[in-house]
């Protein structure tokens, strides 16, 4: 029995070499490969993959699927794209004429997956209403297509992924506590690239395999000194762009550095935007504080012009005025514009 198990693990482990996201000899890379192998060869318990954007959560899900259910459907569900009104039909399918505009019957994603894998990407983006429906899938309850009479079993392996701290969302009541515990059965966190920099040479070489180009040591040194906030995905994009722009078979600093400089500028801009939504401890701010910060940025961009602020935000004019007073930003506007209406609002409030 042990020999059979070892033989199975050997066959499965040989297939890791084709998976670029997790090659390398770092402890983090080895843990990811070992986790995928163990889960694929083991039970069908629900897996929750966590990690920053770009670390390869979807690739780990695909790896688990290929190692355990190769040849069967791998169905990806982008949770942020599911709408509240049509999500049930998307997930469970519908019978002919089930609702206005439905022509013929349609299989839902749960049935399409059959005995393969259902991968719920960015599960934190699910609305509360959709989270309630998702609970039934996790509980393996038979489902019925919208407008249908026959029920069908859930046979697929379920893997979910997120880059959000679900525990904080549970405390904020934006994510169901019961759903969190159902998802968090077999959790795994993928390490960011900055914690496995020793893998960068192998990763870069793998991303260049099709181009048959090689990256010079000094270019590798430059990349190793970078923190890669976009993780492995960002590394792949930089390396492949550098390969495209290089004339010869070698990629040096002159090809890599412009791409890194461009990425650094974008990261700096992104951080400025993200900082408007999080506090110093990276906790999401209350919606009132986010609205205030947004309004401040909006008024600055509009140079205090209310008409411009209305055009940019899409808010009604009365809404903009009301929020200016609500958040105490009247002086900011009046120091830049003569606004008689806002002055009258301020005077009425003082009285």
């Amino acid at each position: 029995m042990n020999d059979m198990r070892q033989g199975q693990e050997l066959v499965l482990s040989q297939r890791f070499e084709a998976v670029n996201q997790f090659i390398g000899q770092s402890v983090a890379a080895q843990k990811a490969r070992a986790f995928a192998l163990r889960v694929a060869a083991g039970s069908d318990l629900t897996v929750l993959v966590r990690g920053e954007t770009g670390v390869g959560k979807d690739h780990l899900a695909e790896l688990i699927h290929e190692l355990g259910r190769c040849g069967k459907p791998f169905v990806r569900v982008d949770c942020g794209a599911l709408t509240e009104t049509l999500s049930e039909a998307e997930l469970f399918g519908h019978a002919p004429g089930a609702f206005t505009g439905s022509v013929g019957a349609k299989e839902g994603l749960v049935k399409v997956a059959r005995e393969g894998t259902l991968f719920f990407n960015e599960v934190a983006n699910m609305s509360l209403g959709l989270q309630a429906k998702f609970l039934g899938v996790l509980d393996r309850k038979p489902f019925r297509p919208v407008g249908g009479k026959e029920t069908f079993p859930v046979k697929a392996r379920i893997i979910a992924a997120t880059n959000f701290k679900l525990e904080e969302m549970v405390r904020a009541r934006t994510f169901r506590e019961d759903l969190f515990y159902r998802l968090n059965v077999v959790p795994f966190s993928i390490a960011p690239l900055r914690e496995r920099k020793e893998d960068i040479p192998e990763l870069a070489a793998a991303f260049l395999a099709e181009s048959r180009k090689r990256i010079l040591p000094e270019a590798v040194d430059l990349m190793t000194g970078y923190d890669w906030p976009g993780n492995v995905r960002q590394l792949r994009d930089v390396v492949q762009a550098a390969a495209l722009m290089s004339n010869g078979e070698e990629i040096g600093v002159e090809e890599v550095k412009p791409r890194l400089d461009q990425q650094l500028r974008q990261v700096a801009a992104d951080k400025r935007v993200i900082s408007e939504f999080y506090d110093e401890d990276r906790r999401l701010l209350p919606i009132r504080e986010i609205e205030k910060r947004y309004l401040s940025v909006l008024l600055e961009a509009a140079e205090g012009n209310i008409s411009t602020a209305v055009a940019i935000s899409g808010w009604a004019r009365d809404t903009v005025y009301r929020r200016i007073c609500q958040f105490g930003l009247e002086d900011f506007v009046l120091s830049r514009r003569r606004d008689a209406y806002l002055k009258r609002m301020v005077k009425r409030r003082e009285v």
Side-chain angles (χ1 to χ4, degrees), residues 309-323:
V310 168
I312 294 173
S313 66
W315 285 340
R317 196 176 193 86
D318 287 347
T319 300
V320 174
Y321 276 120
R322 186 174 66 254
R323 289 183 175 174

Side-chain angles (χ1 to χ4, degrees), residues 66-84:
E66 288 299 318
L67 294 173
R69 302 200 173 196
C70 184
K72 296 177 180 178
F74 179 87
V75 177
R76 179 188 179 112
V77 182
D78 290 312
C79 298
L82 290 174
T83 62
E84 190 73 45

Side-chain angles (χ1 to χ4, degrees), residues 145-266:
V146 178
K149 296 180 180 179
E150 187 178 359
T151 60
F152 301 91
V154 178
K155 297 181 179 180
R157 176 198 294 277
I158 296 171
I159 303 176
T162 183
N163 63 350
F164 282 85
K165 295 179 179 178
L166 295 182
E167 295 88 345
E168 290 186 4
M169 294 183 66
V170 169
R171 286 193 290 270
R173 298 187 177 182
T174 56
F175 199 84
R176 293 179 62 117
E177 185 175 15
D178 50 0
L179 177 57
F180 170 70
Y181 289 121
R182 295 248 203 346
L183 285 172
N184 202 39
V185 178
V186 184
F188 185 79
S189 294
I190 303 177
L193 185 55
R194 63 181 174 274
E195 295 179 7
R196 49 177 290 217
K197 287 187 176 182
E198 60 267 44
D199 295 333
I200 288 178
E202 285 187 69
L203 287 165
F207 295 140
L208 289 172
E210 291 186 7
S211 69
R212 297 185 179 181
K213 296 185 177 184
R214 72 182 189 90
I215 192 161
L216 296 176
E218 54 267 30
V220 172
D221 290 342
L222 179 66
M223 292 192 300
T224 304
Y226 183 62
D227 275 345
W228 301 102
N231 292 294
V232 179
R233 182 190 302 153
Q234 183 188 9
L235 174 66
R236 180 200 62 199
D237 293 344
V238 167
V239 168
Q240 291 180 348
L244 181 65
M245 299 306 295
S246 65
N247 294 321
E249 294 182 355
E250 296 180 336
I251 300 170
V253 171
E254 59 272 18
E255 284 83 25
V256 172
K257 192 173 187 303
R259 269 87 234 165
L260 287 181
D261 290 344
Q262 181 183 9
Q263 295 282 339
L264 281 170
R265 289 192 294 270
Q266 182 60 51

Side-chain angles (χ1 to χ4, degrees), residues 1-15 37 41:
M1 188 71 176
N2 287 337
D3 290 341
M4 183 181 297
R5 171 79 179 195
Q6 290 174 0
Q8 181 188 33
E9 290 189 357
L10 177 61
V11 171
L12 292 176
S13 64
Q14 289 171 346
R15 294 164 66 181
L37 179 60

